[in-house]
Amino acid sequence: MAEAAAGVGRFKSNYAVERKIEPFYKGGKVQLDQTGQHLFCVCGTRVNILDVASGTMLQSLEQEDQEDITAFDLSPDDKVLVTASRALLLAQWAWQEGSITRLWKAIHTAPVATMAFDPTSTLLATGGCDGAVRVWDVVQHYGTHHFRGSPGVIHLVAFHPDPARLLLFSSAADTSIRVWSLQDRSCLAMLTAHYSAVTSLTFSADGHTMLSSGRDKICIVWDLQSLQATRTVPVFESVEAAVLLPEEPAPELGVKSVGLHFLTAGDQGTLRVWEAASGQCVHAQRQLPGPGRELTHCTLARAAGLLLSVTADHNLLLYEARSLQLQKQFAGYSEEVLDVRFLGPKDSHVVVASNSPCLKVFELQTSACQILHGHTDIVLALDVFRKGWLFVSCAKDQSICVWRMNKAGEVACVAQGSGHTHSVGTICCSRLKETFLVTGSQDCTVKLWPLPEALPSKSTGPDGGPVLLQAQATQHCHDKDINSVAIAPNDKLLATGSQDRTAKLWALPQCQLLGVFSGHRRGLWCVQFSPMDQVLATASADGTIKLWALQDFSCLKTFEGHDASVLKVAFVSRGTQLLSSGSDGLVKLWTIKNNECVRTLDAHEDKVWGLHCSRLDDHALTGASDSCVILWKDVTEAEQAEEQAKREEQVVKQQELNNLLHEKRYLRALGLAISLDRPHTVLTVIQAIQRDPESCEKLEATVLQLRRDQKEALLRFCVTWNTNSRHCHEAQAVLGVLLRHEAPEELLAYDGVRASLEALLPYTERHFQRLSRMLQAATFLDFLWHNMKLPTLPAAL
């Protein structure tokens, strides 16, 4: 603990939220504007608008009813956005300003499930869960049509691209497509060829052809002149969206002829291009491993040449439409964040492990996101090597992956290893050099994995894939799941923490047991070595953190303060303080020397599983079950500097006040004292005025020249002074001036005047009674004095 005494001046006192990575899309519709610059998506009660270039959120629109958004659509001219909420209200937005221009009742008897604009941006069709389709004129603000007859939920509506034809298409639970004539106000035809729900309708540029897709694994091409199916293409997957491609050659997509080609997105998780005439798949993306890859949406921004697809994991992928080259990735929703780490030599990136087989790497400066595929089950833990380029992950699929980030910020998997017989729940990297890593598993064993020397500088193995790692040592360490492993700063010791309520110390590389730390009442979630002292910190489900001596395995200190399990602990301030996070959603800062909890940071709403500190010790990173990742900034120095500046300003103002009083410039002095918001200082000024030979006139003149807000403050101060018999005379003098010269109406308009008067009345009455009693006593004394008969003094001899 020698370092604790030396580091007093370096103690941290507070962290502030610098940045939050929050969910912005939780499923449902996504849409690009015509320019491809803005992305619209639903997140609960809000429609979020993202800037595609930077990934930052520009607007978050929420209706006044604060109900979940059930449908939305952006007009083809990109000017009008309409949203529908579960409260059966439709809202029309000037979305660039973030304001509602019109709000009206949907008239549907159940929530609106889908909506679409016509090509002229004047008509809006809404399909409800009540089986009705309604058409609205958004310019003239009235309902134009009401079509009934569809069974169940209307989940799809679309206008014909030629506004002159006035046709509306809808699909409901009966799997047929209904064609409505706006002119005749009737159903022209029912297109029945699908055997399962129709998922999308898309039209050719000339308006003569329509493509429908369904979960029955077929896509159908329709002739809109005859309203007949001309071609059925089996696509061998449940299709969630199909897009007609522009009729022009695109060699990179296998489109060599000018005929009709379309692209499908479905449960296989790949985008595939089909030739309608032959029914052949001419191009398919490479299949990536792991679940959650199913595609749920796909949309084409023709003018911008961009294609947007959405996975079941709520990841949004933006492609260049002509080549399907990946342009951007967005992680819409991380569900439960299980671990977080800073990446890069300057902590420029963060990597997030959530309830998913994918890892997400965010660049802090630009919000750019990369989604990494390598595991086939949920990633449970992360760690990063000292230099920041290499990092490792372990997962429920019993494997580990080593990843390398290059100077451009691109990440690739360079090594993989497997050998555990259960989920690998914890992983730790060597501290001095990039030589080995240690994993702990539910199979109660720890494995030591050496890294080949050439690994950090090359990206692939001899066969072009990741290098395969082999475990050098395996040790059965505990009787229950191993929740945490930590390697000492000198790479010679290993600590393990388990669900069996103990932590153990091992010598590396042979994994020989050196000792056991026992004392916790519940399982251990985290173990961590001090960077400076021979001390181990353990965090437990019993709500405590303990510090242990490595020499004799004794408990040095216990920190109590969390109301639930402590999930992570980290040393900060060169080993003199601790940061801890718990399942109560709190992050706490502790000073080791005095066991004091210096600060409690409350920004998460659920278990904080991930906690990591930056290299420079000026930032911390937390990730929690509320799917939020928060970047904290150490604001200790800033707050101390601010406090120092305030103190200096107070000293300067106090000196200025003394000078003004000495010069008898009472108005300036009183104004300055009120601005300091210190009742006692204001009282000193009032007393100085009263000591003046012409006190009454000067007090009156000074008080009346004050601004109204200053008079309001003075009245509040009078309430404080009036409670004390020593200062009541000053309060009554000020009150007298205000009552004599301010009209009652003006006084009643003062802020908080009623509360002030209620507080003034009882004390004023008490002071009056006290003065009355004193006056009576003084009068009686005077009477006695005048009526006393002094005896005559004897004559001098």
Side-chain angles (χ1 to χ4, degrees):
M1 295 291 132
E3 190 65 28
V8 174
R10 293 190 297 273
F11 284 162
K12 299 180 189 302
S13 62
N14 198 8
Y15 284 88
V17 176
E18 184 176 290
R19 173 98 192 280
K20 254 189 180 186
I21 301 173
E22 294 180 285
F24 63 83
Y25 171 69
K26 292 185 179 178
K29 181 175 177 178
V30 292
Q31 189 174 356
L32 285 167
D33 66 358
Q34 296 299 320
T35 62
Q37 293 176 352
H38 300 102
L39 173 65
F40 296 76
C41 54
V42 180
C43 187
T45 61
R46 300 174 179 273
V47 170
N48 291 326
I49 305 167
L50 272 74
D51 177 54
V52 170
S54 66
T56 54
M57 195 185 296
L58 300 175
Q59 295 276 4
S60 187
L61 310 177
E62 184 178 38
Q63 290 188 197
E64 291 168 7
D65 51 51
Q66 295 185 336
E67 292 278 348
D68 283 352
I69 301 292
T70 57
F72 78 91
D73 198 41
L74 179 69
S75 62
D77 62 7
D78 291 342
K79 289 180 181 173
V80 179
L81 176 74
V82 176
T83 58
S85 73
R86 204 168 282 282
L88 307 182
L89 286 175
L90 293 170
Q92 186 173 321
W93 297 83
W95 61 270
Q96 283 162 323
E97 290 82 44
S99 59
I100 292 179
T101 55
R102 183 178 168 232
L103 194 68
W104 75 99
K105 287 184 180 176
I107 312 179
H108 288 277
T109 56
V112 174
T114 182
M115 63 171 68
F117 272 96
D118 82 324
T120 65
S121 303
T122 55
L123 296 179
L124 176 76
T126 57
C129 296
D130 55 359
V133 177
R134 291 181 179 272
V135 182
W136 311 86
D137 188 319
V138 294
V139 178
Q140 301 295 329
H141 303 169
Y142 69 96
T144 61
H145 297 76
H146 179 198
F147 297 119
R148 285 182 296 248
S150 304
V153 176
I154 306 283
H155 57 259
L156 205 56
V157 289
F159 280 96
H160 191 282
D162 182 0
R165 293 195 64 178
L166 292 172
L167 293 180
L168 175 66
F169 299 79
S170 71
S171 182
D174 62 351
T175 75
S176 61
I177 302 165
R178 285 175 169 76
V179 186
W180 307 92
S181 168
L182 300 186
Q183 204 163 4
D184 302 339
R185 297 176 179 272
S186 63
C187 181
L188 283 184
M190 279 178 63
L191 313 180
T192 53
H194 283 283
Y195 299 98
S196 186
V198 179
T199 52
S200 72
L201 297 174
T202 179
F203 302 89
S204 62
D206 58 11
H208 297 328
T209 308
M210 178 176 77
L211 178 76
S212 63
S213 66
R215 296 199 180 108
D216 50 9
K217 304 186 179 182
I218 59 171
C219 289
I220 299 172
V221 181
W222 302 87
D223 180 0
L224 293 183
Q225 305 290 335
S226 61
L227 296 177
Q228 295 295 318
T230 59
R231 178 86 188 167
T232 299
V233 181
V235 293
F236 312 108
E237 69 168 332
S238 178
V239 180
E240 291 300 323
V243 174
L244 275 173
L245 295 174
E247 294 192 31
E248 54 189 43
E252 288 159 309
L253 299 182
V255 179
K256 299 184 177 70
S257 58
V258 180
L260 199 66
H261 290 76
F262 62 90
L263 181 141
T264 58
D267 61 7
Q268 286 188 13
T270 60
L271 295 173
R272 296 191 292 166
V273 180
W274 301 81
E275 186 179 39
S278 64
Q280 296 293 312
C281 176
V282 295
H283 178 79
Q285 278 185 317
R286 186 172 62 88
Q287 185 98 28
L288 288 166
R293 295 286 305 151
E294 301 88 353
L295 298 175
T296 57
H297 288 83
C298 186
T299 179
L300 177 68
R302 288 180 190 274
L306 293 172
L307 184 86
L308 178 71
S309 70
V310 183
T311 70
D313 264 355
H314 306 107
N315 296 326
L316 289 78
L317 310 173
L318 195 66
Y319 298 94
E320 200 276 311
R322 288 182 59 81
S323 61
L324 288 189
Q325 286 287 322
L326 188 61
Q327 303 281 309
K328 291 270 182 185
Q329 294 172 300
F330 304 95
Y333 181 46
S334 294
E335 208 170 336
E336 193 167 2
V337 176
L338 301 179
D339 210 354
V340 288
R341 285 290 185 277
F342 283 104
L343 286 186
K346 294 183 179 175
D347 297 326
S348 55
H349 294 67
V350 296
V351 58
V352 177
S354 59
N355 215 0
S356 155
C358 305
L359 290 172
K360 287 139 189 161
V361 175
F362 297 92
E363 188 178 352
L364 289 173
Q365 202 169 359
T366 64
S367 305
C369 172
Q370 286 175 74
I371 296 159
L372 310 179
H373 304 276
H375 290 284
T376 56
D377 208 339
I378 293 170
V379 179
L380 297 173
L382 302 164
D383 201 18
V384 62
F385 283 96
R386 189 168 59 92
K387 290 181 181 175
W389 297 116
L390 271 181
F391 67 98
V392 292
S393 60
C394 61
K396 272 190 175 179
D397 61 9
Q398 305 170 18
S399 75
I400 61 169
C401 286
V402 182
W403 308 83
R404 187 171 68 86
M405 186 170 78
N406 63 20
K407 289 182 180 175
E410 295 161 352
V411 180
C413 180
V414 292
Q416 285 179 321
S418 57
H420 283 286
T421 57
H422 278 82
S423 300
V424 187
T426 176
I427 194 162
C428 189
C429 300
S430 54
R431 295 298 173 216
L432 293 176
K433 291 183 178 177
E434 296 163 341
T435 50
F436 68 93
L437 54 99
V438 173
T439 55
S441 166
Q442 281 186 0
D443 61 14
C444 306
T445 67
V446 158
K447 286 183 184 288
L448 187 144
W449 310 77
L451 293 183
E453 283 184 28
L455 181 65
S457 58
K458 67 175 186 178
S459 59
T460 56
D463 59 348
V467 174
L468 290 176
L469 300 179
Q470 295 294 326
Q472 175 184 306
T474 302
Q475 178 69 44
H476 187 279
C477 293
H478 291 271
D479 299 328
K480 290 187 178 178
D481 298 359
I482 298 172
N483 290 333
S484 180
V485 292
I487 296 170
N490 63 0
D491 283 350
K492 291 180 181 175
L493 297 173
L494 170 72
T496 58
S498 166
Q499 207 63 38
D500 65 7
R501 299 182 290 183
T502 65
K504 293 183 181 181
L505 190 67
W506 309 81
L508 290 175
Q510 288 83 16
C511 289
Q512 297 163 319
L513 181 63
L514 298 176
V516 180
F517 306 96
S518 55
H520 281 292
R521 299 187 306 277
R522 302 279 294 276
L524 272 68
W525 280 114
C526 184
V527 292
Q528 201 69 254
F529 284 99
S530 167
M532 307 304 289
D533 304 299
Q534 294 192 0
V535 170
L536 182 77
T538 58
S540 165
D542 61 14
T544 66
I545 303 155
K546 288 181 184 287
L547 289 187
W548 309 83
L550 298 184
Q551 288 93 341
D552 56 4
F553 309 104
S554 62
C555 180
L556 299 172
K557 283 181 179 286
T558 300
F559 300 87
E560 297 181 6
H562 284 280
D563 294 331
S565 301
V566 186
L567 302 174
K568 279 283 193 297
V569 65
F571 284 90
V572 291
S573 309
R574 299 188 67 191
T576 61
Q577 290 182 292
L578 293 170
L579 265 180
S580 65
S581 67
S583 56
D584 49 10
L586 301 177
V587 177
K588 288 180 180 284
L589 176 65
W590 309 83
T591 298
I592 292 172
K593 189 179 180 183
N594 54 14
N595 274 50
E596 182 192 358
C597 177
V598 182
R599 188 74 61 177
T600 298
L601 309 170
D602 185 7
H604 287 289
E605 294 171 7
D606 210 338
K607 301 181 186 72
V608 184
W609 288 108
L611 171 68
H612 192 221
C613 297
S614 66
R615 256 162 244 284
L616 297 175
D617 206 20
D618 59 345
H619 285 85
L621 191 66
T622 56
S625 296
D626 57 7
S627 85
C628 281
V629 175
I630 297 179
L631 178 67
W632 301 87
K633 185 181 182 181
D634 176 11
V635 292
T636 305
E637 284 186 17
E639 285 187 352
Q640 286 173 351
E642 194 179 326
E643 194 64 36
Q644 181 66 24
K646 275 185 184 174
R647 281 199 296 269
E648 288 173 4
E649 189 184 353
Q650 295 280 13
V651 169
V652 170
K653 285 190 173 179
Q654 188 64 51
Q655 184 58 51
E656 190 183 345
L657 187 65
N658 293 341
N659 294 344
L660 290 169
L661 287 175
H662 182 70
E663 296 164 13
K664 298 190 177 182
R665 294 164 65 187
Y666 297 127
L667 180 63
R668 284 281 305 281
L670 193 57
L672 183 60
I674 291 169
S675 72
L676 289 170
D677 196 30
R678 293 198 304 213
H680 189 264
T681 308
V682 179
L683 178 65
T684 309
V685 176
I686 299 291
Q687 287 170 340
I689 296 172
Q690 287 197 312
R691 282 196 295 271
D692 194 280
E694 300 171 359
S695 61
C696 288
E697 295 80 5
K698 291 215 169 165
L699 181 65
E700 211 168 90
T702 307
V703 170
L704 293 176
Q705 284 182 67
L706 293 174
R707 298 192 310 270
R708 177 171 157 172
D709 60 314
Q710 292 175 322
K711 289 177 185 174
E712 288 171 357
L714 199 55
L715 190 61
R716 284 199 308 276
F717 296 158
C718 284
V719 173
T720 309
W721 304 336
N722 201 47
T723 58
N724 190 324
S725 59
R726 282 181 299 173
H727 305 143
C728 67
H729 302 293
E730 289 83 0
Q732 293 298 324
V734 172
L735 202 58
V737 172
L738 290 173
L739 289 171
R740 280 198 304 274
H741 294 89
E742 294 282 316
E745 298 79 26
E746 285 183 32
L747 278 174
L748 285 170
Y750 279 19
D751 190 30
V753 69
R754 292 178 191 279
S756 297
L757 289 174
E758 283 173 15
L760 282 164
L761 281 170
Y763 282 101
T764 302
E765 202 169 310
R766 194 182 299 174
H767 296 320
F768 180 72
Q769 289 169 357
R770 181 172 51 78
L771 289 170
S772 297
R773 287 196 301 272
M774 195 185 295
L775 186 62
Q776 282 177 355
T779 307
F780 183 62
L781 193 64
D782 189 50
F783 172 76
L784 279 177
W785 175 253
H786 283 95
N787 287 281
M788 283 171 76
K789 290 184 178 178
L790 294 173
T792 54
L793 293 171
L797 294 173

